[in-house]
Amino acid sequence: LRPCPLRNTCSGSGAAMTKTALAAAALAATLLQPCSGSSVYLAGLCRGHQCKDPQYPILDFDMERSECICRAHPCWDNEGITHQCSAPEFPYLHFTYSRDKNLTCSCSSVPQYDSLHVSRDQCAGEFCDSVDFPVLDWDPQERKCLCRAHPCWDQEGIKNECKERRFPILHYREETNEDGSAKPVCECHAKFEKFVAGLRGSKQNLVYKGCTWSNFAGKRKSKLQRAGWHRS
């Protein structure tokens, strides 16, 4: 992780709009977006946590366990197939889910940090093709999917960007202030690449690591159970 370089420009207020499109056009949409991912809904749900293990780099929510987890990229093991993006013009691995929740992996020119929970569990078959509102998200109050501006584009008038090539993925998460309010955090992540064990190493099951969230809908108290979680 690296702190984001900042500049005093703002591309939007973070307003949201509803967007529904055909899943067949998802690949084309990934080529139009300046960035993607960083769900505000997920950041609030998993406030106070982050994922630092490169084997499990994606902060997400597991509905079956009702807990936040650190997840491996779903395209690293898609029914036994490992997807990689080696073309320099399309170096970033991206995933979408159809309405029947089938996974599609593609290579994009745009850095991605998406949530499987949002893409599959809440908004299967939907994606965002707007340059101004590229982030697919879930509104738990309205109980609908929406497309929003990246939350790091306007943090008190500051637009966060990732200019270092080694850390191209802009990600939004939240910590908790002393008064219990949300503290926005914008970070730049390295490109997601699957961990490869040594020739003599045993094969690892790259699925998830996580912690038990004692009350994810209310108190921000959690109990650490496994490696891969870091509370700031």
Side-chain angles (χ1 to χ4, degrees):
L1 302 180
R2 291 293 185 274
C4 295
L6 305 180
R7 71 178 187 183
N8 291 318
T9 59
C10 178
S11 65
S13 62
M17 68 176 183
T18 301
K19 183 71 180 180
T20 303
L22 295 176
L27 176 58
T30 64
L31 306 182
L32 297 175
Q33 302 169 12
C35 71
S36 181
S38 292
S39 162
V40 173
Y41 158 70
L42 185 71
L45 196 63
C46 299
R47 185 175 299 165
H49 295 283
Q50 57 180 313
C51 300
K52 293 185 177 180
D53 188 337
Q55 299 180 65
Y56 308 90
I58 300 176
L59 179 62
D60 211 352
F61 184 78
D62 190 304
M63 290 191 69
E64 293 183 0
R65 299 176 179 85
S66 294
E67 64 182 19
C68 295
I69 62 171
C70 292
R71 188 189 298 279
H73 197 292
C75 294
W76 289 350
D77 186 2
N78 181 12
E79 297 182 352
I81 298 174
T82 299
H83 296 268
Q84 300 181 47
C85 296
S86 57
E89 62 271 31
F90 303 107
Y92 303 111
L93 191 59
H94 178 52
F95 66 89
T96 56
Y97 282 88
S98 64
R99 292 190 183 279
D100 54 2
K101 299 188 178 183
N102 288 324
L103 173 64
T104 296
C105 298
S106 60
C107 294
S108 172
S109 61
V110 179
Q112 314 281 341
Y113 193 119
D114 297 315
S115 161
L116 186 148
H117 171 56
V118 173
S119 299
R120 183 192 65 184
D121 301 334
Q122 305 290 9
C123 302
E126 309 232 13
F127 71 96
C128 301
D129 61 0
S130 167
V131 173
D132 295 323
F133 302 92
V135 179
L136 180 64
D137 211 350
W138 171 253
D139 187 328
Q141 282 73 42
E142 298 290 334
R143 300 197 59 79
K144 66 180 182 181
C145 301
L146 52 84
C147 294
R148 70 167 76 247
H150 197 294
C152 291
W153 286 354
D154 185 7
Q155 290 298 318
E156 298 182 352
I158 300 295
K159 182 176 181 179
N160 295 269
E161 295 179 307
C162 295
K163 296 182 178 180
E164 189 173 347
R165 293 184 62 182
R166 294 184 303 159
F167 303 94
I169 303 176
L170 183 61
H171 177 232
Y172 174 81
R173 64 180 180 87
E174 293 179 356
E175 296 178 356
T176 304
N177 290 314
E178 292 182 359
D179 62 1
S181 61
K183 178 183 178 181
V185 177
C186 293
E187 298 171 326
C188 294
H189 282 253
K191 175 185 173 183
F192 295 142
E193 295 183 295
K194 183 177 180 179
F195 172 82
V196 179
L199 295 177
R200 296 173 182 264
S202 59
K203 184 178 178 181
Q204 297 187 2
N205 181 22
L206 298 181
V207 180
Y208 81 98
K209 288 185 178 180
C211 69
T212 298
W213 193 282
S214 60
N215 186 357
F216 64 87
K219 298 180 181 178
R220 318 224 187 284
K221 182 179 180 182
S222 62
K223 182 178 180 182
L224 211 56
Q225 284 191 331
R226 289 182 288 270
W229 273 96
H230 303 267
R231 178 177 290 280
S232 302

